[in-house]
Amino acid sequence: MKLFKKIDEVRRQVEEWRAEGLTVGLVPTMGYLHEGHASLIRAAARENDRVAVSVFVNPTQFGPTEDLARYPRDIERDKAVCAANGAHLIFNPEPEEMYPGGFCCYIDMSDGPKEGLCGASRPVHFSGVCTVVAKLLNIVLPDRAYFGQKDAQQLAVVRRMVSDLNITVEIVGCPIVREEDGLAMSSRNRYLNGDERRAALCLSRGLEAGRLLIEAGETAPEAVIAAVRGHIEAEPLARIDYTAVVHPGTVRPQSVIEGPVMCAVAVYIGATRLIDNFIIE
């Protein structure tokens, strides 16, 4: 496995793979890799001849009061996870490599799946996501790129961007990976102290209550949201950013639950903002 810091190095390696007739999968990450990321790498390794993993804490998707400076970083840990799960290349650039002096081109959406949910409370976030993902796709030129369902709105945004801009890559969504007690794996979980870690289970418990309602035949989003919020609001350390029932592709609110549905939440546990969701097809 090789680690590259420069765009030209990555391109040369991918060109060698292409010359051998090999397919390439890309797993974009911000590092501090856990089992959720490992599952994406394994999926890419199953479906492609070579796997590239980007490890880059992207500054353009963080707002001015967000956790860019303290976001966890550990490249040695990341190298071990990549090597153990089938990656062949790590792209770990410095911000100046991705955004050199004078950089001024950003990708944004005027509407579509960026609206609402995280887009409402993090107004610059999805412009930064689209910009960095588009750059990574142009650098690696993969056959497939892999994203986790935990960031379901991000997955919808990336799919729309790829479709609108005619980028020739298959976007593959992979299931949420959870701890044994149900908490969705996230690099931000490390911010939680013991009490907060236990409190964070209110997200998965609330979502499970909503899922059971829908599976029992409930078609009113308000009833599902009330059930989810009831579990979360009962936790003193939790503060809800949003709870919503939307279409998983468009991320538009649903007035009646029929067909595919996603129930998504964002909740502050202490100072840490966590997201989670479920999708019923």
Side-chain angles (χ1 to χ4, degrees), residues 63-111:
T65 62
E66 294 180 348
D67 59 341
L68 173 61
R70 70 186 186 110
Y71 194 87
R73 297 161 170 86
D74 188 341
I75 190 61
E76 293 305 317
R77 168 197 177 118
D78 296 341
K79 286 163 62 177
V81 173
C82 287
N85 290 280
H88 301 85
L89 179 158
I90 298 175
F91 179 40
N92 178 223
E94 296 299 324
E96 296 77 17
E97 179 72 5
M98 295 294 281
Y99 302 107
F103 185 90
C104 61
C105 293
Y106 295 87
I107 296 176
D108 204 354
M109 291 182 177
S110 59
D111 197 3

Side-chain angles (χ1 to χ4, degrees), residues 34-36 150 176-180 182-187 189:
H34 50 67
E35 176 56 26
K150 184 180 73 67
I176 297 173
V177 176
R178 299 184 179 276
E179 304 283 359
E180 289 186 7
L183 182 66
M185 289 190 175
S186 169
S187 299
N189 290 350

Side-chain angles (χ1 to χ4, degrees), residues 51-257:
V51 177
V53 177
S54 64
V55 174
F56 178 60
V57 181
N58 175 39
T60 66
Q61 68 189 67
F62 288 78
T65 62
E66 294 180 348
D67 59 341
L68 173 61
R70 70 186 186 110
Y71 194 87
R73 297 161 170 86
D74 188 341
I75 190 61
E76 293 305 317
R77 168 197 177 118
D78 296 341
K79 286 163 62 177
V81 173
C82 287
N85 290 280
H88 301 85
L89 179 158
I90 298 175
F91 179 40
N92 178 223
E94 296 299 324
E96 296 77 17
E97 179 72 5
M98 295 294 281
Y99 302 107
F103 185 90
C104 61
C105 293
Y106 295 87
I107 296 176
D108 204 354
M109 291 182 177
S110 59
D111 197 3
K114 80 159 196 172
E115 299 300 319
L117 304 190
C118 292
S121 56
R122 305 184 70 190
V124 305
H125 177 66
F126 287 117
S127 174
V129 167
C130 285
T131 301
V132 76
V133 170
K135 286 177 68 68
L136 291 169
L137 294 176
N138 280 326
I139 292 165
V140 179
L141 298 176
D143 297 276
R144 302 171 188 87
Y146 295 77
F147 296 83
Q149 184 192 302
K150 184 180 73 67
D151 299 296
Q153 187 176 15
Q154 172 181 275
L155 178 57
V157 164
V158 168
R159 281 178 166 151
R160 180 62 178 270
M161 177 190 73
V162 164
S163 174
D164 283 2
L165 299 183
N166 305 110
I167 300 174
T168 54
V169 63
E170 178 186 352
I171 301 300
V172 182
C174 297
I176 297 173
V177 176
R178 299 184 179 276
E179 304 283 359
E180 289 186 7
D181 58 8
L183 182 66
M185 289 190 175
S186 169
S187 299
R188 288 188 169 95
N189 290 350
R190 73 181 298 271
Y191 297 157
L192 304 172
N193 63 32
D195 290 340
E196 291 169 341
R197 175 63 178 76
R198 288 185 288 273
L201 296 178
C202 69
L203 278 77
S204 55
R205 289 171 181 161
L207 287 170
E208 182 62 15
R211 179 197 295 275
L212 291 173
L213 266 184
I214 294 175
E215 290 178 345
E218 180 61 66
T219 60
E222 298 82 3
V224 175
I225 290 172
V228 174
R229 292 182 70 97
H231 282 264
I232 298 172
E233 290 171 343
E235 172 49 60
L237 296 181
R239 176 170 59 88
I240 294 174
D241 181 356
Y242 65 74
T243 57
V245 173
V246 299
H247 186 281
T250 65
V251 197
R252 296 290 189 188
Q254 293 195 333
S255 57
V256 177
I257 297 172

